[in-house]
Amino acid sequence: FGSAAEFENAAISDHSITFDSNVNRVVISFRDEGNSNYATAIVGAVSGTSISFGSPVVYESANPEAQAITFDSNSNKVVIVYSDIGNGQNGTAIVGTVSGTSISFGSESVFKDAQIEIESRTHTTFNSGINKVIITYMRISDDGAYYAGTVVIGTVSGTDITFGTPVVFNAATSAYST
């Protein structure tokens, strides 16, 4: 290992990381506790055993629950998924474009217009066979009694993402989705 490199001089939480193979950069999404708990992303460039970072970028001026992030190699974009605390805990995704050590974002897109439980229980990945983003999450059931394991498929176009209909894969309590 090389030396540690600080990318934020305040406490962070709920972080997730992905690799953008289009520009050979890492992207970290996190809750910035030093900036009102805003949802933030930062780009890192690796050289040898060192890493350097660009400036952090706020993509949601609210307190999100844990983010999950993936790289869509078809569109060469990153997709961040989160529970938008500032918007009724709706399941939300946003598309980011990396350039150098900077990142810019499109508009957020809601994939579940209802409260979801996302902390440590949401995962996202990219399926290159079908060029789709796959999100698994737990949503609070209609009667509020349990967490239902749910999956939704997203398609990235430009800086937008659209979704199919969410499908419950486990109607009983789903402790974690992977």
Side-chain angles (χ1 to χ4, degrees), residues 4-141:
E6 183 178 276
F7 63 87
E8 178 59 43
N9 63 0
I12 68 161
S13 58
D14 304 327
H15 61 281
S16 186
I17 188 169
T18 194
F19 178 69
D20 182 331
S21 60
N22 181 52
V23 293
N24 292 322
R25 301 287 190 258
V26 296
V27 181
I28 304 170
S29 63
F30 59 97
R31 184 188 316 186
D32 188 349
E33 295 179 15
N35 185 23
S36 302
N37 287 311
Y38 287 171
T40 306
I42 195 164
V43 177
V46 176
S47 177
T49 58
S50 298
I51 187 167
S52 59
F53 294 95
S55 299
V57 175
V58 171
Y59 61 87
E60 174 65 38
S61 297
N63 180 3
E65 292 209 312
Q67 301 98 37
I69 187 171
T70 193
F71 175 66
D72 178 332
S73 59
N74 181 58
S75 66
N76 291 322
K77 307 290 185 184
V78 296
V79 177
I80 303 174
V81 179
Y82 56 99
S83 176
D84 190 348
I85 300 299
N87 189 23
Q89 286 184 279
N90 286 342
T92 306
I94 195 164
V95 176
T97 306
V98 175
S99 176
T101 56
S102 298
I103 188 166
S104 59
F105 292 96
S107 300
E108 64 183 19
S109 179
V110 173
F111 61 85
K112 181 60 182 173
D113 189 17
Q115 184 178 2
I116 69 168
E117 176 62 43
I118 198 166
E119 188 171 352
S120 301
R121 296 175 182 96
T122 294
H123 300 277
T124 185
T125 192
F126 178 71
N127 183 322
S128 60
I130 59 172
N131 291 326
K132 304 289 183 187
V133 173
I134 301 170
I135 302 166
T136 60
Y137 62 95
M138 294 189 328
R139 70 170 180 82
I140 296 174
S141 67

